[in-house]
Amino acid sequence: MALLAPHPALKVAAPESPMVDGWMGDDWFHYGAFRQPNLDYFSEQTTKRDAGDPTVRGAYDDYEEFRRAGSAGDYAETRGLDRLPWTRRLMQHPAYDSFWQGQALDKLVAEHPAQVPTMWIQGLWDQEDMWGAIHCYLALKSKGQADHNYLVMGPWRHSQVNYDAYNLGPLKWEGDTALQFRRDVLKPFFDQYLKTAAPKADTPPVFIYNTGENHWDRLKNWPLACENGCAAPLKPLYLEAAFGLGFEQPTSDAPADSYVSDPAKPVPYIPRPVHFTDSDRWKTWLVTDQRTVADRTDVLTYQTPVLTAPVRISGAPVADLFAATTGTDSDWVVKLIDVYPDEVPSQAEMGGYELAVSMDIFRGRYRQSFEHPSAIPSGQPERYRFTLPTTNHIFEPGHRIMVQIQSSWFPLYDRNPQTFVPNIFFAKPADYVKATQSVLRSRDHASAVWLPVVP
């Protein structure tokens, strides 16, 4: 916010894990799907002057707590949370209308670019704010403001840049990556602008961790691969028969893979029991082993053969699904996963680990317009194309690339009733129905994840 019409005393800035667009991909929603842990946050932040309390629970397992409650709106009403002004305001604006558009700071800083040298800092596995820093940097870059804007993306959870960062969950790094950044990049950057006669810092335009080879990359530009304006175009990794993945476009006419999505049995985002106030699990949920859901009948799991050569991705993958549903609304969760070899001698517990390197959720009613939702034509193929979070990763030889597709991610995100209703916050029990989801992989409807592959 300080970068909008900045005060003359502001000489340098370093936004850390900034919350920039609460509807698109930061705290409140992701592409229209509501993040239910925020109901605790609303209570803690707005019920009294000092730190408020989390919502009183009726069950230890938040999976069961939210499933019994029904919709997120029903949960808020039964706990009295609907009396909080912010909760009411949010539920009145489920779509990306002017209320949310007017708060989108990535658009605002690009429309009113400051000349303050700014270092945008974000974690590659930020469990809360994965949208803000990267989108502000890219928006300013598109306006020709790259010469004084810098990007840093570390192998971190939310705000881990301020703490020790030798590891994230089971992932072990080459030393304290947060200390390395603060000492070698951030402090010299600050010194240059804040200390008299300080030397010019050797600040890389982009400082991003390579999570496959386990080292920092100092780059001149970002992303290295993208849809438009990059040296390397995105490369589609197609869904194939027998749950395979490959870079060759399908040639068959009409194959598809199907599953039944049942709102009464949503896919958990971490193994149960789920307890949102368990900070240790919350900090690392993005790197949870995805084997916990890989064999569910309502999750489609595709993978490549064992890689014989490295595959490097440096940018934002794009999910590109052609799918049909027997309902009239649907959510789509797409995960890009690095599958480790069956045996990892140096760290046995990583044998076969399914590490998500980029994943997100998309609410199907917004496939044509984020501002104006529409019902999905039942039984008709529709296209769902959405960008996944940025990554800088190498799938090493001996690993596999995996893609998982599902229609719920609970209780992190509220359940889609799979019946189109005007406002999902106020969906009623009868609106929640089973739906058969069919993901197409034919010549004319070739579902894929477009990868930012670079040499």
Side-chain angles (χ1 to χ4, degrees):
M1 290 294 291
L3 290 168
L4 297 177
H7 191 283
L10 183 63
K11 301 301 182 184
V12 64
E16 296 180 358
S17 307
M19 193 280 207
V20 163
D21 192 321
W23 194 93
M24 281 292 187
D26 279 328
D27 287 275
W28 316 137
F29 298 83
H30 274 222
Y31 293 123
F34 176 61
R35 301 189 113 203
Q36 296 186 127
N38 289 310
L39 293 170
D40 283 323
Y41 188 66
F42 301 163
S43 176
E44 292 165 349
Q45 293 290 312
T46 67
T47 52
K48 54 185 178 181
R49 287 184 179 274
D50 57 358
D53 300 317
T55 308
V56 174
R57 294 295 198 264
Y60 177 79
D61 186 356
D62 282 328
Y63 182 99
E64 195 61 42
E65 173 89 350
F66 280 88
R67 180 168 60 175
R68 288 175 183 169
S71 68
D74 285 338
Y75 182 89
E77 182 180 2
T78 58
R79 272 57 177 189
L81 299 173
D82 59 331
R83 287 177 283 175
L84 300 176
W86 173 247
T87 305
R88 288 201 304 270
R89 182 67 64 85
L90 180 139
M91 292 194 299
Q92 290 165 1
H93 297 275
Y96 195 60
D97 57 16
S98 59
F99 175 74
W100 297 112
Q101 294 174 31
Q103 300 180 45
L105 280 166
D106 54 337
K107 299 177 179 66
L108 292 174
V109 298
E111 291 168 2
H112 310 281
Q115 299 307 303
V116 176
T118 303
M119 182 173 287
W120 301 94
I121 303 168
Q122 181 178 314
L124 288 161
W125 283 286
D126 188 319
Q127 78 280 11
E128 295 169 19
D129 296 298
M130 296 191 73
W131 186 272
I134 180 63
H135 281 84
C136 285
Y137 168 81
L138 293 174
L140 286 161
K141 179 184 172 185
S142 72
K143 297 289 187 177
Q145 301 290 318
D147 62 333
H148 58 282
N149 280 279
Y150 305 85
L151 177 66
V152 173
M153 300 190 77
W156 307 319
R157 59 170 173 82
H158 184 74
S159 293
Q160 195 178 3
V161 62
N162 297 308
Y163 303 91
D164 291 342
Y166 294 96
N167 69 291
L168 181 63
L171 307 177
K172 299 178 180 180
W173 312 124
E174 288 292 326
D176 185 344
T177 56
L179 174 62
Q180 292 164 1
F181 159 68
R182 295 194 306 263
R183 179 192 63 210
D184 302 336
V185 178
L186 183 61
K187 185 177 184 297
F189 177 68
F190 279 162
D191 287 349
Q192 175 180 342
Y193 297 102
L194 299 177
K195 288 188 174 183
T196 303
K200 187 178 185 299
D202 181 22
T203 304
V206 177
F207 193 59
I208 186 167
Y209 206 79
N210 185 319
T211 56
E213 290 186 333
N214 205 354
H215 60 75
W216 286 103
D217 285 338
R218 299 172 71 98
L219 305 172
K220 294 181 179 180
N221 196 20
W222 189 264
L224 300 183
C226 65
E227 289 190 273
N228 299 299
C230 296
L234 298 183
K235 187 174 183 179
L237 182 64
Y238 294 103
L239 309 187
E240 295 183 336
F243 298 101
L245 289 174
F247 291 106
E248 298 297 325
Q249 186 167 0
T251 57
S252 302
D253 286 334
D257 297 307
S258 300
Y259 60 95
V260 175
S261 173
D262 185 355
K265 299 179 180 179
V267 181
Y269 83 103
I270 56 175
R272 296 180 62 186
V274 177
H275 201 59
F276 287 143
T277 57
D278 184 341
S279 62
D280 289 338
R281 293 186 83 193
W282 175 249
K283 291 173 183 176
T284 60
W285 75 261
L286 278 171
V287 296
T288 301
D289 192 339
Q290 296 303 307
R291 281 180 293 194
T292 59
V293 301
D295 295 318
R296 282 183 59 121
T297 57
D298 52 359
V299 177
L300 298 179
T301 299
Y302 303 84
Q303 62 180 337
T304 66
V306 174
L307 299 176
T308 58
V311 176
R312 180 180 183 181
I313 56 173
S314 297
V318 175
D320 191 16
L321 297 185
F322 293 89
T325 177
T326 58
T328 52
D329 199 358
S330 179
D331 286 349
W332 301 100
V333 178
V334 176
K335 308 174 188 175
L336 179 64
I337 295 167
D338 184 346
V339 182
Y340 281 61
D342 290 340
E343 292 183 293
V344 180
S346 61
Q347 192 177 355
E349 67 273 19
M350 293 301 292
Y353 203 92
E354 295 180 6
L355 172 67
V357 297
S358 186
M359 55 182 176
D360 217 334
I361 186 170
F362 185 91
R363 186 139 282 177
R365 59 175 47 209
Y366 300 113
R367 70 204 178 282
Q368 296 175 335
S369 168
F370 291 127
E371 187 174 2
H372 303 291
S374 59
I376 298 171
S378 181
Q380 299 299 313
E382 293 280 299
R383 191 177 194 179
Y384 305 89
R385 187 175 175 89
F386 55 100
T387 302
L388 301 178
T390 290
T391 185
N392 186 39
H393 189 77
I394 293 181
F395 298 92
E396 296 282 11
H399 292 227
R400 297 173 186 259
I401 304 174
M402 175 180 285
V403 170
Q404 288 181 0
I405 300 169
Q406 59 200 57
S407 292
S408 53
W409 221 6
F410 191 74
L412 178 61
Y413 295 96
D414 65 332
R415 293 173 301 159
N416 192 313
Q418 303 182 155
T419 300
F420 185 83
V421 294
N423 188 330
I424 290 179
F425 281 110
F426 306 119
K428 299 307 176 188
D431 298 323
Y432 290 84
V433 298
K434 294 181 181 179
T436 299
Q437 317 286 61
S438 298
V439 178
L440 285 67
R441 45 177 178 78
S442 64
R443 179 177 56 244
D444 296 329
H445 297 94
S447 296
V449 175
W450 291 68
L451 301 180
V453 176
V454 296

